[in-house]
Amino acid sequence: MATLADIGLSAAINIITAFIFLIAFAILRLQPFNDRVYFPKWYLKGLRSSPATSGAFVSKFINLDYRSYMKFLNWMPDALKMPEPELIDHAGLDSAVYLRIYLLGLKIFIPILVLTWAILVPVNWTNDTLDKLKGEATYSEIDKLSISNIPQGSHRFWTHVIMAYAVTFWTCFALKKEYETVANMRLHFLQSEKRRPDQFTVLVKNVPPDADESVSEAVEHFFLVNHPDNYLTHQVVLNANKLAKLVEEKKSKQNWLDYYQNKFERNQAKRPIMKTGFLGLWGEKVDAIQHHISEIERLSNEIAEEKEDVVNNPKAIMPAAFVSFKTRWGAAVCAQTQQARNPTLWLTEWAPEPRDVYWKNLAIPYVSLTIRKLLMAVAFFFLTFFFIIPIAFVQSLANIEGIEKAAPFLKPLIEVKTIKSFIQGFLPGIALKIFLILLPTILMIMSKFEGFLSISLLERRSASRYYLFNFVNVFLGSVIAGTVLEQLNTFLDQSVNKIPETIGVAIPMKATFFITYIMVDGWSGTAGEILRLKPLIIYHLKNFFLVKTEKDREEAMDPGSIGFNTGEPQIQLYFLIGLIYAVVTPLLTPFILVFFALAYVVYRHQIINVYNQEYESSAAFWPDVHGRVVSALVIAQLLLMGLLSTKEAASSTPFLLALPILTIGFHMYCKGRFEPAFVRYPLQEAMMKDTLERAREPNLNLKGYLQNAYVPPIFKEADSDSDSDSNSDSDDETNDQKWQKDNVLVPTKRQSRKNTPVPSKRSAGSSPNLPEIREKDKP
């Protein structure tokens, strides 16, 4: 059990570590050769040029202006200066709303800190219950500030019940206000943002097979019949995964060719030579330039053949399509209604914006998605279950006293004061963080296997599983494993009916472990985030060994997006810990607040200067954020009820039964009141925006704007490569035209579909409309 001295040592280590990280960042960011690492977003926007390209030789690498070092901490106020509307224009609504999660934490826990420290801390401290349990239970001075120090059956538990109500009501109030604010921000953003293809486009899945018509013809006929006034155009989904691999390989060869050509231009006396073996380490020596020219020519031919095969092969066409409409109103009607009598056919949903589409998963057959999700659910269960083993190991580090009772031979080694304080106060948190390093990657792979069609959905799915994993393993696993280890002798000696009482006393004692975890992960980890030590090292290694062209340099400095799938579940873990221990151990709340405050400043700076969001979902993730905070609140209430049930507080515990019911009712209210704004687009808003756009741009060529919006990027890259390749032939142009052509006139091959209001090439006339058929049928 960690003592105040252990917590103090851990706090000192983490504060010093965080301070070193912040100072190192403040200095490194001023150096010209690090400029692309700490300000990549401005480079990618084309608004910043490298300071290393001008001035004296030394000044290209080191900042010699001593005055800039006097203001090295200016990044903190600078990160807070940009107003939220400007931040939305600069980084997008997703990034701005992501920062509001940290603000929500501050709004919830600052009043909770004031209330619990003013009321609960004195109530808990002025008892001697734990002093009377010496020799029977393991505890520290910290636990005297918790609910564990209240005697059994005491009337003081009424204070904790009242505080539980206060925490619940305040948290729900803050959640409602924030949900309302974010919902209004989303609607305002959708109404005011520039025109985007996804506003007019619907993704149609599970198109039924037709023996007489292709998928493209079936889609066009269906929507001309059922949406005759709004349908505009469509693009079928193709399986181009093999083509994507060929294009990526060609891009790599082209970069190497550029490098060797540049090298030869600098020294034309010697032709560059390379080996054809693995990584150029062995194999036949050949002329590097000629080798890569021949390789690029071979790949160009393969790409042309693969493009033709993808476009013309019916097996490459998936039963899905991106269907675009003339108005946002028409797209909203289609996306939010059932299209066919059979609810499993012609499934429609809002199309992700083109940057958000995960193109590889579009090739997954719809019928296999259920099986894939079932397999991943089973895999996730076993991953969660078997991860309890390293969690138990981490808890063994945090509970030395319990281990000493079971293994006395280790006592001389771990009783050294400094070593003991280091192990108990610092090592458990860092060990747990190390065990969790690979988890986000594993969860993302599982989400991709499930077949989600957008990057935002992939990240949201990974985030939900990461949060569940944290709850089961990091929280419940730590509490249960730690309780057994701490009270090992007690568990072995006491009667069975006394075990629940021992657990009830021991659960609050795990606050010390979570305090160390918050300091390691929340304090030092956040400070390490702004230092960007790993990207800094990787960038300079790539720049020195691998970067050959300016394109390579851009790829080396690209920071990617903020990583919702990893960041948000970690934040939610702090909400969970903070709400659970707000009433149980108020000492933990200040550590939570330090994390939220520091993280808000750090990530605001990163969003402004570093991360380049690769898609925009218009804050569609907020219902998940709200739901997880509510679930944390319900879990805290249930655990408090379980804890008080072991304290013989029969008179006060029943009054907690209403809290989960009220909280779930509050969640249902918010779900009905605010969530529709995140899953549906109001027809009123759509019509208003359409009307304004028609008034401002009456001659807008919307079809030209949407025609190629959802052409797979790999086709565009292949086209650009073909255009720059002197060996491209007319077959490529023919395929391009076939892919991008306007399918207005399509022969109606099915005799049963005679109500298609499009001229048929067979009949040379327009088929009758439904009203005309009905008129003819009348006697």
Side-chain angles (χ1 to χ4, degrees):
M1 175 61 64
T3 63
L4 280 174
D6 301 333
I7 296 297
L9 178 63
S10 178
I13 292 174
N14 285 284
I15 289 173
I16 293 173
T17 302
F19 185 75
I20 291 174
F21 285 164
L22 294 175
I23 294 297
F25 159 73
I27 295 175
L28 289 173
R29 66 187 285 269
L30 297 176
Q31 312 311 314
F33 67 98
N34 291 329
D35 206 57
R36 291 178 180 269
V37 178
Y38 293 111
F39 301 97
K41 188 166 191 170
W42 299 100
Y43 282 93
L44 295 174
K45 284 177 171 283
L47 301 175
R48 191 181 182 97
S49 58
S50 176
T53 58
S54 60
F57 178 78
V58 177
S59 63
K60 292 182 180 180
F61 301 95
I62 301 175
N63 188 348
L64 301 177
D65 184 5
Y66 71 92
R67 291 169 296 182
S68 60
Y69 293 94
M70 304 298 292
K71 303 176 181 179
F72 67 95
L73 291 179
N74 277 5
W75 67 269
M76 291 185 179
D78 289 344
L80 301 174
K81 283 181 181 179
M82 183 179 287
E84 190 170 64
E86 186 178 343
L87 180 65
I88 293 174
D89 291 337
H90 175 68
L93 185 64
D94 281 344
S95 298
V97 172
Y98 182 84
L99 288 174
R100 295 192 70 90
I101 305 178
Y102 297 106
L103 284 179
L104 178 63
L106 293 174
K107 292 175 182 178
I108 289 176
F109 287 108
I110 288 177
I112 288 177
L113 173 68
V114 174
L115 279 176
T116 55
W117 276 65
I119 299 173
L120 287 184
V121 169
V123 170
N124 294 336
W125 179 259
T126 54
N127 286 281
D128 57 355
T129 302
L130 291 177
D131 290 333
K132 295 177 181 179
L133 292 176
K134 281 187 177 180
E136 299 180 16
T138 305
Y139 69 93
S140 70
E141 293 296 320
I142 296 174
D143 299 312
K144 291 184 178 181
L145 297 172
S146 73
I147 199 173
S148 298
N149 204 30
I150 304 296
Q152 301 278 41
S154 173
H155 292 294
R156 296 193 178 197
F157 287 121
W158 279 104
T159 309
H160 298 81
V161 172
I162 294 172
M163 289 304 302
Y165 272 88
V167 168
T168 297
F169 289 158
W170 173 251
T171 303
C172 290
F173 174 78
L175 283 172
K176 177 184 177 298
K177 297 295 290 184
E178 199 65 23
Y179 213 154
E180 185 175 10
T181 300
V182 175
N184 291 332
M185 290 173 63
R186 173 180 166 86
L187 291 176
H188 180 266
F189 180 78
L190 292 174
Q191 191 66 18
S192 60
E193 72 171 334
K194 298 178 181 179
R195 181 171 51 251
R196 293 194 328 194
D198 55 297
Q199 298 170 352
F200 300 87
T201 307
V202 169
L203 175 60
V204 183
K205 298 181 294 185
N206 212 23
V207 176
D210 194 312
D212 299 316
E213 293 182 329
S214 67
V215 173
S216 179
E217 293 169 339
V219 169
E220 182 166 16
H221 288 158
F222 180 86
F223 284 96
L224 280 172
V225 170
N226 296 286
H227 298 268
D229 298 327
N230 296 303
Y231 169 77
L232 183 62
T233 185
H234 74 279
Q235 290 168 344
V236 294
V237 172
L238 301 178
N239 184 355
N241 290 343
K242 182 179 178 180
L243 177 63
K245 294 180 181 178
L246 292 173
V247 172
E248 287 299 316
E249 185 179 357
K250 182 180 177 182
K251 286 170 61 179
S252 176
K253 298 292 185 183
Q254 186 64 51
N255 284 341
W256 278 106
L257 177 61
D258 294 340
Y259 165 70
Y260 285 118
Q261 286 177 338
N262 293 336
K263 183 177 180 181
F264 179 65
E265 288 177 1
R266 291 192 296 267
N267 182 15
Q268 297 188 2
K270 183 179 180 182
R271 297 279 296 184
I273 303 297
M274 63 169 290
K275 296 180 179 179
T276 58
F278 178 71
L279 295 178
L281 299 177
W282 59 74
E284 180 185 358
K285 290 185 178 181
V286 296
D287 184 290
I289 294 178
Q290 291 299 326
H291 174 75
H292 282 95
I293 289 177
S294 61
E295 285 292 300
I296 290 173
E297 183 177 354
R298 175 184 64 82
L299 289 169
S300 297
N301 294 331
E302 292 183 14
I303 288 172
E305 293 174 1
E306 182 62 22
K307 279 180 61 180
E308 184 176 2
D309 182 66
V310 168
V311 172
N312 296 319
N313 186 359
K315 294 183 179 179
I317 301 176
M318 307 304 297
F322 292 99
V323 180
S324 298
F325 294 82
K326 299 175 183 178
T327 62
R328 296 172 181 83
W329 187 91
V333 170
C334 180
Q336 296 164 184
T337 55
Q338 181 175 319
Q339 302 302 307
R341 179 179 298 176
N342 186 343
T344 63
L345 300 177
W346 297 102
L347 303 176
T348 57
E349 62 184 51
W350 280 108
E353 69 154 322
R355 295 180 303 167
D356 192 19
V357 178
Y358 189 69
W359 296 96
K360 291 182 179 179
N361 280 0
L362 288 173
I364 298 176
Y366 178 79
V367 293
S368 69
L369 294 180
T370 302
I371 299 175
R372 286 169 171 262
K373 290 179 180 179
L374 179 61
L375 291 175
M376 287 303 97
V378 174
F380 179 69
F381 171 79
F382 284 104
L383 175 67
T384 305
F385 178 78
F386 285 110
F387 210 87
I388 294 176
I389 297 173
I391 293 293
F393 169 73
V394 170
Q395 286 304 315
S396 70
L397 298 177
N399 304 293
I400 290 180
E401 286 84 353
I403 293 297
E404 286 179 349
K405 294 177 182 178
F409 61 89
L410 295 176
K411 187 173 182 179
L413 176 63
I414 61 179
E415 275 300 318
V416 179
K417 187 174 181 180
T418 305
I419 296 177
K420 182 177 180 180
S421 296
F422 175 79
I423 292 176
Q424 290 191 311
F426 182 75
L427 194 58
I430 194 68
L432 181 59
K433 189 170 178 62
I434 291 173
F435 278 122
L436 295 174
I437 285 177
L438 294 178
L439 181 64
T441 303
I442 296 173
L443 295 179
M444 179 56 74
I445 293 173
M446 294 171 67
S447 298
K448 291 178 179 179
F449 182 82
E450 282 187 278
F452 291 100
L453 302 180
S454 67
I455 300 172
S456 57
L457 284 178
L458 286 172
E459 293 191 343
R460 288 166 60 186
R461 179 65 164 179
S462 297
S464 64
R465 281 186 167 156
Y466 199 174
Y467 174 74
L468 183 60
F469 183 94
N470 279 340
F471 170 67
V472 173
N473 280 295
V474 178
F475 180 75
L476 287 183
S478 297
V479 168
I480 295 172
T483 298
V484 172
L485 289 170
E486 284 177 355
Q487 312 298 337
L488 193 56
N489 282 353
T490 309
F491 266 75
L492 296 176
D493 297 338
Q494 70 184 186
S495 60
V496 176
N497 60 350
K498 288 286 185 179
I499 291 179
E501 182 178 326
T502 304
I503 294 177
V505 174
I507 285 177
M509 297 180 184
K510 292 309 301 172
T512 54
F513 166 76
F514 289 114
I515 288 174
T516 62
Y517 179 75
I518 291 168
M519 288 189 291
V520 171
D521 183 72
W523 297 7
S524 298
T526 302
E529 158 65 30
I530 200 168
L531 179 59
R532 307 195 75 229
L533 186 59
K534 179 182 175 182
L536 177 69
I537 295 173
I538 291 176
Y539 170 75
H540 285 300
L541 288 176
K542 286 183 176 180
N543 196 39
F544 186 79
F545 292 105
L546 302 177
V547 169
K548 305 157 191 72
T549 64
E550 192 62 30
K551 186 186 300 183
D552 291 339
R553 186 169 287 105
E554 290 181 4
E555 293 177 357
M557 75 173 181
D558 187 3
S561 60
I562 198 169
F564 178 83
N565 59 306
T566 57
E568 193 269 346
Q570 287 296 93
I571 304 172
Q572 292 294 345
L573 179 62
Y574 294 122
F575 275 107
L576 176 69
I577 296 171
L579 290 172
I580 287 174
Y581 283 98
V583 178
V584 174
T585 308
L587 181 65
L588 186 141
T589 307
F591 296 90
I592 293 281
L593 277 176
V594 171
F595 160 74
F596 279 117
L598 178 62
Y600 176 72
V601 177
V602 166
Y603 280 97
R604 208 173 201 275
H605 173 275
Q606 300 296 80
I607 283 173
I608 292 173
N609 298 296
V610 179
Y611 292 117
N612 187 37
Q613 193 69 14
E614 56 183 310
Y615 63 86
E616 179 60 62
S617 70
S618 304
F621 58 81
W622 191 259
D624 298 337
V625 175
H626 174 88
R628 284 195 267 272
V629 177
V630 170
S631 67
L633 190 59
V634 173
I635 291 167
Q637 295 160 356
L638 295 176
L639 290 179
L640 181 60
M641 280 193 289
L643 178 59
L644 290 182
S645 67
T646 67
K647 295 288 189 175
E648 300 178 5
S651 59
S652 56
T653 304
F655 285 89
L656 290 174
L657 293 174
L659 278 181
I661 299 174
L662 293 174
T663 305
I664 294 173
F666 162 78
H667 176 62
M668 298 304 295
Y669 163 77
C670 290
K671 188 177 180 67
R673 172 63 180 84
F674 301 115
E675 187 172 322
F678 293 86
V679 295
R680 293 193 290 271
Y681 189 36
L683 296 181
Q684 181 184 23
E685 299 285 330
M687 180 62 75
M688 189 184 305
K689 194 167 180 64
D690 288 331
T691 303
L692 290 174
E693 187 172 74
R694 282 195 297 268
R696 293 171 181 171
E697 302 178 72
N699 299 321
L700 173 66
N701 181 15
L702 186 61
K703 194 168 190 177
Y705 173 73
L706 295 173
Q707 181 109 17
N708 300 322
Y710 284 92
V711 173
I714 201 63
F715 271 83
K716 297 177 182 178
E717 293 179 17
D719 291 343
S720 64
D721 290 341
S722 298
D723 291 340
S724 62
D725 187 1
S726 59
N727 295 321
S728 61
D729 52 29
S730 59
D731 291 340
D732 294 329
E733 296 176 3
T734 303
N735 291 334
D736 295 343
Q737 293 171 1
K738 191 166 186 176
W739 168 255
Q740 298 176 0
K741 71 177 182 179
D742 181 14
N743 294 318
V744 175
L745 302 178
V746 179
T748 306
K749 298 178 181 178
R750 290 191 63 202
Q751 299 301 315
S752 61
R753 191 169 293 157
K754 294 182 179 180
N755 58 339
T756 304
V758 176
S760 172
K761 291 183 179 178
R762 291 190 175 184
S763 61
S766 177
S767 299
N769 291 324
L770 286 173
E772 298 173 352
I773 295 175
R774 290 169 183 159
E775 288 292 332
K776 291 180 180 179
D777 291 342
K778 290 182 180 180

